[in-house]
Amino acid sequence: IQELLKGETAGQLRFCSNRPHPNHTLKDKNHFRGLYEDGYEYSSIDGNNRSTTLAQFFNNEFSIEFEGEKKVFYNKCNLEKGETNLEEKHRTTLKNVTVSIVVYFGVSRDQCAASFRSHNQSTKLKNQEILNSYPYAISSWIREEGNKLVKKKDDKPVSVTIPGFTLENHRLENH
């Protein structure tokens, strides 16, 4: 968030469509069809942390240290914690951030995993992130359990809204 306020870019968010595609193998058809039938049109390949962080900050779920003060996005400051609202000009800067969205169609789970690893070569990935990028049954189970926990929070599917773009039913499906 601080980098965006300094004029940096948000980077790319990468998704794949869960719509069944003729290029899919039987295993991929079953995987993507299941997600699509459950109401998840897209799965996150990369950028899940960025999109979640932006949405949480816009929803005042945490404060940032900015210009020497604790700031919340707007109207939910905790004065006892020393928090204040982000100034209007800075809220406007964040609302106008351009986010590059890439959506792949007809890709396999292996291609999603390879795309994640390829686009993160310049970043030191944690071992768990590398392991989760492979479409193993245990990785899928971990994501499913994570999704259950997120859904229990308010019993609604997660929705990530970034000004100018919305992915409804966005999921913690990070191949």
Side-chain angles (χ1 to χ4, degrees):
I1 304 290
Q2 290 94 334
E3 296 302 314
L4 294 175
L5 289 168
K6 293 176 188 173
E8 297 293 325
T9 66
Q12 287 187 330
L13 305 180
R14 296 178 177 281
F15 299 92
C16 71
S17 171
N18 291 328
R19 289 179 184 265
H21 194 277
N23 290 350
H24 289 153
T25 64
L26 181 59
K27 188 174 180 179
D28 285 332
K29 279 182 188 177
N30 290 334
H31 172 77
F32 289 115
R33 183 185 314 119
L35 292 172
Y36 190 73
E37 288 174 357
D38 285 346
Y40 301 104
E41 189 169 347
Y42 302 98
S43 291
S44 172
I45 295 173
D46 193 21
N48 202 47
N49 290 344
R50 280 179 299 238
S51 60
T52 302
T53 298
L54 284 169
Q56 289 174 339
F57 186 68
F58 289 155
N59 290 325
N60 296 301
E61 294 179 30
F62 67 91
S63 63
I64 61 167
E65 187 73 30
F66 185 67
E67 296 179 340
E69 297 180 15
K70 286 184 178 179
K71 300 283 187 176
V72 294
F73 186 68
Y74 186 67
N75 216 19
K76 294 272 185 164
C77 53
N78 183 336
L79 296 177
E80 291 176 12
K81 290 184 180 179
E83 296 174 343
T84 59
N85 289 323
L86 199 59
E87 293 177 28
E88 177 62 32
K89 68 180 180 179
H90 297 303
R91 288 195 305 272
T92 300
T93 297
L94 288 177
K95 288 178 185 177
N96 292 321
V97 165
T98 299
V99 179
S100 176
I101 307 287
V102 177
V103 179
Y104 297 101
F105 295 89
V107 294
S108 69
R109 292 185 327 157
D110 288 336
Q111 288 171 317
C112 290
S115 174
F116 172 79
R117 289 188 303 277
S118 172
H119 289 96
N120 284 285
Q121 287 180 352
S122 64
T123 304
K124 176 74 173 142
L125 294 174
K126 296 176 185 166
N127 288 338
Q128 193 61 47
E129 290 174 310
I130 295 168
L131 289 173
N132 283 340
S133 74
Y134 290 94
Y136 294 127
I138 189 69
S139 298
S140 295
W141 180 82
I142 291 168
R143 283 188 289 275
E144 287 301 317
E145 292 305 305
N147 285 326
K148 287 178 190 175
L149 292 174
V150 171
K151 279 190 170 186
K152 285 180 183 177
K153 187 175 172 183
D154 61 7
D155 252 2
K156 296 180 202 169
V158 176
S159 176
V160 174
T161 304
I162 297 169
F165 190 83
T166 301
L167 281 180
E168 292 298 327
N169 294 329
H170 179 260
R171 203 180 156 134
L172 298 175
E173 184 74 21
N174 207 354
H175 299 280

